[in-house]
Amino acid sequence: MTQHSTTRQKQAGNRRTSPGDRRVSQGFPRLCCRGIGEITVGNIPGNNLGTPNAITAQGQPIYETQPDGSVVFRGFQSIITISTNASTAFNNGSAYDNAITLLHELGHVYANLRMATAITPDNNLTAAGVAASQTNAALVRSRCPQ
Ligand SMILES: [Zn+2]
C-alpha cells in the first residue's frame, strides 16, 4: 500500500475499500461540489442479485434563504459511491461504460435536487430495482451512443 492510497482512504472517511480495489482507487479522489454532495469510492455491499456498480445516496436536505428571509427547500445532497469491488463493471469496463455509469448516477443527483431527469429511482438490491437500473443505463446509452 502506498502513501498515496492511504491518503485516499482517509479521504473516503469511514467508507472501507476492498482488498481488490485497484483501478477506481487510482486517481479518483473524493470530489465535493459546494453543498450539492460528493463523489467517492467505497465498498458497496451486494446480495444474490449482484454487486452494485455504483450508488447514489440521498444526503442532507438543502435549504436556501431568500432575500425576503423565507426559506425554500431545494432538494437533497447526494453521495455518489463508485464500487471498489474489482469484480464490478466500473473496474472492468471501458471508459465509455464508466462514463455511462457516471451519467446514470448524475441523473439521480438531478432527482435529488428536484430537477427534471428521465432517470428513475432504482435500488440494485431488489429484482425490480435491478431492472429499473438497467433501464436507466440503457436510456443513457441511447442518448449517448458510443
Ligand atoms: Zn440508478
Side-chain angles (χ1 to χ4, degrees), residues 104-105 108 122 133 136:
H104 171 157
E105 299 308 320
H108 292 304
D122 53 24
S133 180
N136 284 335

Side-chain angles (χ1 to χ4, degrees), residues 15-18 24 40-47 50-57 79-88 90-91 101 105 123-125:
R15 291 180 183 84
R16 291 178 290 166
T17 56
S18 69
V24 168
T40 188
V41 296
N43 178 41
I44 303 172
N47 64 12
T51 302
N53 197 29
I55 58 171
T56 300
I79 301 102
I80 297 174
T81 302
I82 303 296
S83 177
T84 54
N85 186 316
S87 69
T88 58
F90 200 91
N91 292 293
T101 296
E105 299 308 320
N123 175 345
N124 287 329
L125 299 179

